[in-house]
Amino acid sequence: MNWPRALLTDSGGFQMVSLLHLADITEKGVTFQSPVDGKPMLLTPEESIQIQSRIGADIIMALDDVVRTTITGPRIEEAMYRTLRWIDRCIAAHKRPHEQNLFGIVQGGLDPVLRDICVKGLVDRNLPGYAIGGLAGGEDKDSFWRVVAQCTAALPEDKPRYVMGVGYPLDIVVCSALGADMYDCVYPTRTARFGTALVPEGVLKLKHRAMADDIRPIDPTCECMVCKNYTRAYIHCLVTKDAMGSQLLSYHNLYYMMKLSRDLNSSIIQGQFPEFVCKFLQKMFPKGDVPEWVCNAMEVAGIDISSCCAPFTTSQD
């Protein structure tokens, strides 16, 4: 790859959800039906670690048994306990512990008891870092933030806490307030392919007809190459006809996320994170209609956002 910077690889566990119609999950591992030729392929915890080792990533993820948070019943408990059994197989297969950091993944769906059992089991194994998995799969936001808060509170403060599959800028700010450190998501580039740009106010949909004659940059406050050189009208013309539109929007969206991350990080270091949160929310919700789940999460995080919220106008969205 010749990538000279930090690298994180995933284990393949998420494909148990995204390719469920092609997968058969047993204690041994996951048998996939190849989407190319239909042949069965077995992915075991050992094989997952070996593949990630060959790639040479700085952070590698244990193979976990993933189920959607919208599923209920005994399958959630089965997956959580299997995840704990598989972490031991991953640790045994991990031959480069001084070069690669193996993270365990907390599972347990939306069940607080199962999440606690999984957290304790992983912490007992003294791993270099921990991920909170199985979220951003369709659960309601109130359940989402409560699982994050529960897990970050129980995981060691001196090791990275990584919320997998997150996310939206608002989710990242909220989860950071709750104690999370790391995130990953396809959202910035996927939404770009649909003609949507990330801006401090939320999103800007460049496919809308109103953009056709708008000669402003995507975000007048943004310093990225796209905002310096192209108008909304030009990108509007591209996104409906040409792949270059998606590429320009992807560039801008990634720049936006990088700046958000840098500003968030520096505000924590400078002891100004509460001020950062309020400024972020004021831009995104200028009318004060901050969603109720955000207000509840900030209360648990100990951050006063009353100056951002209009009385009696909170929303469940």
Side-chain angles (χ1 to χ4, degrees), residues 124-149:
D124 285 347
R125 287 159 173 85
N126 193 28
L127 299 164
Y130 304 91
I132 301 166
L135 293 175
E139 73 279 356
D140 63 276
K141 288 292 189 182
D142 196 60
S143 299
F144 161 76
W145 81 260
R146 291 181 190 280
V147 170
V148 173

Side-chain angles (χ1 to χ4, degrees), residues 291-305:
E292 187 176 354
W293 72 271
V294 176
C295 298
N296 293 338
M298 291 302 100
E299 185 177 356
V300 167
I303 295 178
D304 180 7
I305 61 167

Side-chain angles (χ1 to χ4, degrees), residues 85-105:
R85 292 192 296 272
W86 279 2
I87 187 65
D88 291 324
R89 290 169 60 184
C90 290
I91 292 169
H94 185 29
K95 304 304 181 187
R96 299 168 61 187
H98 300 295
E99 302 167 64
Q100 297 179 301
N101 298 282
L102 173 64
F103 281 27
I105 305 175

Side-chain angles (χ1 to χ4, degrees), residues 130 152 156-157 159-163 175-176 179-183 268:
Y130 304 91
T152 52
E157 287 188 11
K159 293 185 177 181
R161 293 171 288 192
Y162 164 28
V163 187
C175 290
S176 297
D181 307 293
M182 295 171 55
Y183 312 92
I268 294 172

Side-chain angles (χ1 to χ4, degrees), residues 45-209:
E46 293 79 9
E47 177 69 11
S48 174
I49 296 300
Q50 289 162 14
I51 292 169
Q52 294 181 81
S53 177
R54 288 198 294 272
I55 292 172
D58 303 282
I59 295 174
I60 63 177
M61 305 305 298
L63 186 65
D64 55 338
D65 188 350
V66 187
V67 292
R68 289 193 184 277
T69 47
T70 50
I71 291 176
T72 57
R75 177 71 182 100
I76 299 288
E77 184 173 357
E78 176 192 50
M80 186 278 292
Y81 280 110
R82 181 172 286 141
T83 293
L84 285 179
R85 292 192 296 272
W86 279 2
I87 187 65
D88 291 324
R89 290 169 60 184
C90 290
I91 292 169
H94 185 29
K95 304 304 181 187
R96 299 168 61 187
H98 300 295
E99 302 167 64
Q100 297 179 301
N101 298 282
L102 173 64
F103 281 27
I105 305 175
V106 179
Q107 291 293 345
L110 302 179
D111 187 322
V113 175
L114 295 180
R115 286 280 178 177
D116 272 344
I117 293 169
C118 200
V119 166
K120 185 178 185 307
L122 293 176
V123 171
D124 285 347
R125 287 159 173 85
N126 193 28
L127 299 164
Y130 304 91
I132 301 166
L135 293 175
E139 73 279 356
D140 63 276
K141 288 292 189 182
D142 196 60
S143 299
F144 161 76
W145 81 260
R146 291 181 190 280
V147 170
V148 173
Q150 176 191 355
C151 293
T152 52
L155 290 168
E157 287 188 11
D158 61 343
K159 293 185 177 181
R161 293 171 288 192
Y162 164 28
V163 187
M164 303 186 78
V166 172
Y168 301 128
L170 179 60
D171 292 356
I172 287 175
V173 171
V174 170
C175 290
S176 297
L178 295 171
D181 307 293
M182 295 171 55
Y183 312 92
D184 80 282
C185 194
V186 299
Y187 174 67
T189 49
R190 177 173 287 171
T191 203
R193 293 197 294 275
F194 290 99
T196 302
L198 304 180
V199 293
E201 295 76 21
V203 296
L204 188 69
K205 297 187 177 182
L206 275 300
K207 283 189 177 182
H208 281 185
R209 191 173 297 173

